[in-house]
C-alpha cells in the first residue's frame, strides 16, 4: 500500500522489548502531525454514523457505553493507520511467532460519562485476537478529564495510562483492562491483530 504521509520512524526494538517484558508497550508519537489532523477530520466527519457499542445483535450489555464505527475501505486515512499496524504485526510475528494475519478495527467515541468496565479482549483464548492496539485521536487531553486506560500487565502490575493525543498503546489481548469514565469527548481507534481470518482482511 502507498504511503500518503511522511512516515514516522518507530523504535520497533523498544516496542518488542516492552511487549516481551511487560505484555504492553506505549508509542508516544505514532503519526506525523499532518496525518493526525486528517485522521481526526475523517473521524469527526463520520460521527453521525457511530452506533452504541453495547448493543450487539439486539442484546444490550452494561459493560460499556461508548459509540463505535467499524473501519473499512470507505475510510482511506484510517486505512493508513491500519497499514502501520500491519508493519508492526510483521515484526511481532517474527519476534513472537504470533501468526497474525488480519486486522479488525473501529473508531470509538466516549462522550461525557461514558466508560468501558473491566474486561479482556480475548478472554481464555476464546477468539483469535492476539494483540490490541488503541490509538488516541482527540487533539488535546488533560489528566483531570478522566478516561484513562487502566491495564494489568503480564506481571500483574496495574498501570494507569493517559489517553494522550497521538499515543498508541499496544497490549496482549488477554490482559485485563478498563476505560475510566470520561469527562470530555474521547476519540480513538481500537484495532485487534488477529491470528485467523483471511489475509489482511482490512485492506
Ligand atoms: C477496547 C478498549 C481501551 C481504550 O476498545 O476494547 O479496551 O483506551 N479500549 O480505549
Ligand atoms: Mn478492550
Amino acid at each position: 500500500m502507498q504511503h500518503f504521509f511522511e512516515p514516522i520512524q518507530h523504535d520497533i526494538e523498544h516496542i518488542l522489548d516492552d511487549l516481551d517484558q511487560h505484555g504492553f508497550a506505549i508509542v508516544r508519537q505514532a503519526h506525523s502531525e499532518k496525518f493526525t489532523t486528517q485522521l481526526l477530520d475523517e473521524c469527526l466527519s463520520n460521527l453521525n454514523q457511530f452506533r452504541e457499542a453495547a448493543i450487539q445483535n439486539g442484546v444490550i450489555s452494561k459493560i460499556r457505553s461508548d459509540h463505535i464505527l467499524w473501519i473499512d475501505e470507505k475510510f482511506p486515512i484510517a486505512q493508513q493507520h491500519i497499514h502501520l499496524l500491519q508493519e508492526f504485526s510483521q515484526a511481532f510475528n517474527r519476534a513472537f511467532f504470533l501468526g497474525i494475519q488480519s486486522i479488525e478495527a473501529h473508531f470509538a467515541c466516549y462522550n461525557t460519562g461514558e466508560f468501558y468496565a473491566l474486561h479482556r479482549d480475548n478472554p481464555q483464548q476464546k477468539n483469535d485476537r492476539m494483540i490490541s492496539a488503541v490509538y488516541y485521536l482527540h487533539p488535546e487531553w488533560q489528566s483531570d478529564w478522566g478516561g484513562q486506560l487502566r491495564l494489568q500487565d503480564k506481571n500483574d502490575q496495574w498501570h494507569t495510562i493517559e489517553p494522550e493525543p497521538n499515543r498508541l498503546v499496544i497490549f496482549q489481548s488477554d490482559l485485563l483492562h478498563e476505560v475510566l469514565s470520561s469527562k470530555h469527548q474521547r476519540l480513538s481507534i481500537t484495532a485487534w491483530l488477529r491470528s485467523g481470518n483471511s489475509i489482511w482482511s482490512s485492506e
Side-chain angles (χ1 to χ4, degrees):
M1 195 193 261
Q2 190 189 340
H3 278 289
F4 297 123
F5 305 94
E6 191 73 14
I8 297 261
Q9 290 300 316
H10 294 100
D11 188 350
I12 191 74
E13 289 307 319
H14 195 181
I15 296 170
L16 294 175
D17 234 43
D18 284 346
L19 274 174
D20 188 37
Q21 287 183 39
H22 308 289
F24 80 102
I26 298 177
V27 181
R28 273 157 226 289
Q29 299 289 327
H31 292 294
S32 68
E33 210 168 297
K34 193 170 169 199
F35 180 85
T36 60
T37 312
Q38 306 226 17
L39 187 54
L40 177 63
D41 274 0
E42 190 174 75
C43 174
L44 290 176
S45 60
N46 289 285
L47 267 187
N48 59 345
Q49 296 173 55
F50 282 50
R51 297 281 175 263
E52 284 181 61
I55 303 178
Q56 269 179 26
N57 305 321
V59 181
I60 306 171
S61 100
K62 288 203 172 76
I63 187 180
R64 65 192 294 186
S65 51
D66 59 317
H67 293 71
I68 62 170
L69 179 63
W70 287 95
I71 291 167
D72 59 21
E73 64 287 342
K74 293 193 293 296
F75 306 101
I77 316 291
Q79 289 292 332
Q80 291 292 305
H81 173 64
I82 291 174
H83 180 64
L84 170 70
L85 297 178
Q86 287 175 349
E87 289 182 353
F88 283 179
S89 299
Q90 285 164 10
F92 301 160
N93 283 347
R94 276 195 296 270
F96 308 123
F97 308 103
L98 295 182
I100 295 164
Q101 47 174 331
S102 66
I103 297 184
E104 59 178 348
H106 62 56
F107 289 108
C109 174
Y110 292 73
N111 289 311
T112 304
E114 296 182 348
F115 63 91
Y116 195 157
L118 273 184
H119 68 282
R120 299 176 207 270
D121 294 342
N122 183 0
Q124 284 130 28
Q125 260 84 56
K126 274 207 180 116
N127 56 47
D128 55 20
R129 293 171 172 174
M130 308 302 289
I131 298 281
S132 305
V134 186
Y135 174 74
Y136 303 109
L137 296 172
H138 36 254
E140 185 194 350
W141 201 260
Q142 295 180 12
S143 54
D144 60 351
W145 289 358
Q148 291 90 354
L149 168 63
R150 285 190 69 248
L151 175 83
Q152 187 180 40
D153 74 16
K154 67 186 266 195
N155 310 307
D156 297 337
Q157 299 286 319
W158 281 94
H159 303 265
T160 301
I161 301 165
E162 296 290 336
E164 298 273 357
N166 202 16
R167 184 173 262 195
L168 176 68
V169 185
I170 303 168
F171 54 96
Q172 291 176 201
S173 295
D174 58 351
L175 295 178
L176 197 55
H177 60 283
E178 68 181 330
V179 178
L180 300 182
S181 174
S182 188
K183 295 187 188 142
H184 272 255
Q185 187 182 64
R186 178 190 192 273
L187 300 170
S188 59
I189 293 177
T190 295
W192 293 281
L193 319 187
R194 299 173 50 185
S195 62
N197 218 346
S198 56
I199 301 286
W200 304 126
S201 63
S202 59
E203 272 191 327

